[in-house]
Amino acid sequence: MRVPPHLFLAFDPGIKPAEGGLPGLDVLKSTVNSINLFAIIATVGALCVSGVVWAWGHHTGSHGSEAKGKQGALVAAGCALLLGAANGIVAFFSQVGTSVH
């Protein structure tokens, strides 16, 4: 007997995230937290450098440097936003994903 393909879409494998399911979960969380901290510190440095380039370009009349400094400041601000909101973004889309049936 041949099963219609649309019936395969209704199969629920029953997979759900479980806290503490694997050994080393605490080490992984600690590692990701450390990487996030390192990235935030690097972003602060990038914002400082971009601000210096922006100011230097403005005061020397170098419009290209001024534009690159502004661009770097915006990119650093966007990175800071994403790094700070990473948990919330993942939690939001994970919750949206669980509501898909």
Side-chain angles (χ1 to χ4, degrees), residues 62-94:
S62 175
H63 300 296
S65 294
E66 185 179 3
K68 289 297 181 184
K70 288 179 188 178
Q71 181 182 10
L74 287 174
V75 168
C79 286
L81 177 69
L82 288 175
L83 288 168
N87 279 338
I89 291 169
V90 171
F92 172 76
F93 284 106
S94 177

Side-chain angles (χ1 to χ4, degrees), residues 34-74:
S34 297
I35 291 170
N36 194 357
L37 176 63
F38 179 78
I40 288 172
I41 292 170
T43 301
V44 170
L47 185 60
C48 292
V49 170
S50 295
V52 169
V53 170
W54 186 354
W56 177 76
H58 176 74
H59 290 292
T60 61
S62 175
H63 300 296
S65 294
E66 185 179 3
K68 289 297 181 184
K70 288 179 188 178
Q71 181 182 10
L74 287 174

Side-chain angles (χ1 to χ4, degrees), residues 5-7 14-15 22-23 25 31 54 57 80 87:
H6 68 278
L7 290 181
I15 304 297
L22 289 174
L25 188 60
T31 302
W54 186 354
N87 279 338

